[in-house]
Amino acid sequence: MEGRKLFAGARLRNLRQAEKLTQRQFAERLGISTSYVNQLENNQRPLSAGVILALVDGFGVDIASFASDDGDRVVNDLHEALSDPIFADRRPSRQELKIAISNTPDFAHAFLTLQRAYQAAKDRMASLDDALQQEHIDAAPLPYEEVRDFFNYANNYIDWLDRGAEALAEEIGVDGGNHLKLGAERLRRVHGMAVVFERGTMSPDVFRIFDPENKRLVVNADAPRATQSFQIWQQIALAEEKDAIERILDDARFRTGEARAIARIGLANFFAGSAMLPYGAFLSAARELRHDIELLADRFGASLEQVAHRLSTLQRPGSRGVPFFFLRVDRAGTITKRHSATRLQFARFGGACPLWGVHQAFERPEETVRQLAETPDGERYICIARTITKRGVGFRAPIRRYAIALGCSVNHAPDMVYADGLNIDQAGDYDLIGSSCRICERTNCPQRSVPPIHAQISVDARVRRVVPFEIS
């Protein structure tokens, strides 16, 4: 936040209304004038140091959480949405978008919901044969997209579940790699569930089967040990945190039953990861080991993907870890998981930038690929990527290969073992990456596949460049 003015009108107004205070009462609690409160709530003035301290002292506000709203990711999403040709003549600048989000965040989210419905309708219309067989086109967002946005705007951190999982892990003595045994014992002792590990009898793509009538949980013993444990702890979440999960789902107001069902599993997954990798112990170990994902995986009996994903969720107010972005891509370049606690935001549609090291990981399997990268806004990151393989047992078992990537601002280089030996002060060592070609602002990228939607291009038949057009 250094060097940036903090405008937080909407959050300030929400805080005041949650406390059921008038502007005058709120001003008295903060020790400022009513007119000043009005100016702050309308983003006519930024928060001063004195007001910030008054918010912390008088209302217990965690200022890091208060300041780090979802503005950057919403700006990115709005910018991508407005790159559609229908807005060609009325496209606001990024600065105008920031003002709109700061003043009317609910309207910004409503616009994204509308754009998502419009995009879904366009996608369905593109499949003409299918569309003609339908009586109407359902413009609701796809369930997975709606759930993905829910976790994205929650900063991939659900405080209630995280603290509950940590408390339970501490209560039963989870320490390192003993979470599988303790989780199975918890289900047997507290819930009367028989936990059975079957080998060679289940399909490789099935990890667990729960029979509620007979209270029997069957776990695929051919799956990796970390996966077995994760499935057991997911079942614990569904058994012990059912009411809390349902309240969260009620508040989220998902549009379809499918989205609600997907989110329920997502919340149970979050609880499972939080129990296997308890917040305090994991954060302490991450700092001690300088975020070495292999050492962390070994210490906690987890997979590399579980560790990398957990690192991106360490955003508890008052005890935040390094803000990371995390993503997983398949060999086609499609992003299958994504989250960012950094200013870098991923495109909602299409694949990732081809210049990202996450794609190079497929060329160097089982190696950790390091990359210094700079985004169009001038932010610099240190990134790592490596492949992961998920396979069943047996010659005919399917094999799934992905690459995972983890990155953070170079400001955190001293905390990262992966920064050792890299010259982070040398501008020429940074790869110039973007979000995706369709919204990237760079004009001279040799890997560009298509011009950005919002830009004008010119083609000169007399000159042939790597990219056969110029962006103006």
Side-chain angles (χ1 to χ4, degrees):
M1 293 303 301
E2 184 176 353
R4 298 171 62 189
K5 293 182 179 180
L6 176 57
F7 293 89
R11 289 204 166 196
L12 206 62
R13 184 166 52 252
N14 290 339
L15 173 63
R16 176 177 61 79
Q17 292 173 347
E19 296 287 333
K20 298 181 179 179
L21 299 174
T22 64
Q23 283 191 342
R24 183 173 131 189
Q25 293 169 328
F26 195 42
E28 290 174 352
R29 292 273 297 272
L30 293 175
I32 59 179
S33 68
T34 305
S35 62
Y36 191 11
V37 167
N38 185 273
Q39 291 174 327
L40 290 172
E41 290 190 358
N42 287 285
N43 286 319
Q44 295 172 356
R45 296 179 66 174
L47 292 180
S48 67
V51 172
I52 291 174
L53 290 175
L55 287 168
V56 173
D57 293 338
F59 296 91
V61 169
D62 176 71
I63 197 59
S65 174
F66 197 76
S68 60
D69 62 5
D70 55 14
D72 287 333
R73 59 173 58 93
V74 178
V75 166
N76 189 74
D77 289 350
L78 283 177
H79 181 63
E80 183 177 3
L82 291 163
S83 66
D84 192 289
I86 65 172
F87 298 111
D89 297 328
R90 302 295 296 261
R91 187 173 293 115
S93 66
R94 279 186 173 271
Q95 184 59 35
E96 289 175 308
L97 292 180
K98 290 179 180 179
I99 293 172
I101 293 166
S102 181
N103 286 327
T104 56
D106 290 341
F107 179 80
H109 285 285
F111 178 85
L112 285 173
T113 300
L114 179 63
Q115 188 274 340
R116 185 170 49 199
Y118 165 72
Q119 184 67 38
K122 282 210 312 182
D123 291 344
R124 287 173 171 83
M125 286 296 292
S127 303
L128 185 58
D129 290 340
D130 292 341
L132 289 175
Q133 297 175 19
Q134 298 177 2
E135 294 182 2
H136 67 281
I137 296 175
D138 181 9
L142 296 176
Y144 271 101
E145 291 178 352
E146 189 177 6
V147 174
R148 183 183 63 186
D149 285 347
F150 164 75
F151 281 102
N152 189 37
Y153 291 123
N155 214 24
N156 212 28
Y157 177 78
I158 311 297
D159 190 68
W160 181 277
L161 289 180
D162 192 87
R163 293 181 187 273
E166 183 180 33
L168 178 57
E170 183 177 350
E171 175 189 334
I172 67 176
V174 170
D175 180 19
N178 66 351
H179 38 66
L180 189 151
K181 176 183 176 181
L182 293 179
E185 290 178 354
R186 178 78 176 183
L187 286 177
R188 292 190 186 104
R189 181 171 54 85
V190 177
H191 302 284
M193 291 186 194
V195 182
V196 180
F197 296 88
E198 291 192 358
R199 186 178 300 279
T201 60
M202 300 175 68
S203 172
D205 62 344
V206 176
F207 300 130
R208 68 180 174 94
I209 299 175
F210 176 55
D211 179 359
E213 292 185 5
N214 297 308
K215 288 192 172 184
R216 187 169 184 265
L217 179 68
V218 181
V219 179
N220 191 337
D222 291 327
R225 184 177 177 85
T227 300
Q228 296 176 36
S229 183
F230 191 86
Q231 297 305 315
I232 287 174
W233 279 94
Q234 186 196 69
Q235 191 64 50
I236 292 174
L238 294 173
E240 299 193 17
E241 297 292 338
K242 178 180 178 181
D243 291 342
I245 288 175
E246 293 305 317
R247 285 196 299 270
I248 295 171
L249 295 174
D250 288 341
D251 291 340
R253 298 179 181 178
F254 290 107
R255 291 170 174 78
T256 65
E258 293 86 352
R260 186 181 179 103
I262 294 168
R264 182 179 294 109
I265 298 301
L267 291 169
N269 288 345
F270 179 85
F271 182 94
S274 300
M276 291 173 59
L277 307 168
Y279 197 101
F282 186 73
L283 177 60
S284 177
R287 289 169 174 168
E288 174 196 342
L289 301 175
R290 298 182 63 216
H291 302 88
D292 187 316
I293 61 173
E294 293 181 84
L295 293 180
L296 285 167
D298 181 69
R299 177 174 295 190
F300 286 89
S303 70
L304 294 178
E305 181 179 352
Q306 288 170 345
V307 166
H309 188 270
R310 182 57 166 155
L311 285 172
S312 74
T313 70
L314 298 180
Q315 297 299 302
R316 179 179 291 178
S319 181
R320 296 177 185 275
V322 170
F324 283 103
F325 69 76
F326 165 79
L327 77 157
R328 188 184 74 182
V329 303
D330 62 20
R331 286 185 292 180
T334 304
I335 298 176
T336 58
K337 285 186 179 180
R338 66 179 176 92
H339 170 64
S340 179
T342 71
R343 292 186 64 186
L344 188 151
Q345 302 301 325
F346 309 118
R348 294 162 64 86
F349 306 101
C353 172
L355 297 177
W356 282 12
V358 68
H359 302 293
Q360 299 174 24
F362 287 109
E363 302 169 9
R364 298 160 56 183
E366 307 304 321
E367 292 184 34
T368 298
V369 177
R370 300 189 297 173
Q371 181 184 36
L372 293 175
E374 180 178 322
T375 50
D377 60 0
E379 290 292 312
R380 292 179 173 178
Y381 300 88
I382 176 170
C383 318
I384 63 166
R386 64 171 296 156
T387 55
I388 57 173
T389 302
K390 301 186 178 186
R391 63 179 303 163
V393 176
F395 174 71
R396 298 186 183 279
I399 300 174
R400 294 173 293 148
R401 292 188 176 90
Y402 301 96
I404 58 172
L406 191 71
C408 65
S409 167
V410 293
N411 294 331
H412 298 286
D415 303 317
M416 294 283 288
V417 66
Y418 303 105
D420 293 352
L422 297 180
N423 190 353
I424 64 173
D425 297 320
Q426 182 61 45
D429 286 354
Y430 287 81
D431 294 325
L432 303 181
I433 67 170
S435 179
S436 71
C437 288
R438 68 191 301 271
I439 60 172
C440 182
E441 300 173 357
R442 299 195 187 280
T443 60
N444 58 347
C445 176
Q447 281 288 152
R448 180 175 286 285
S449 58
V450 294
I453 294 177
H454 65 275
Q456 297 292 321
I457 65 170
S458 60
V459 179
D460 187 346
R462 299 170 299 176
V463 180
R464 181 60 169 92
R465 300 177 173 83
V466 174
V467 178
F469 53 79
E470 284 189 290
I471 301 171
S472 56

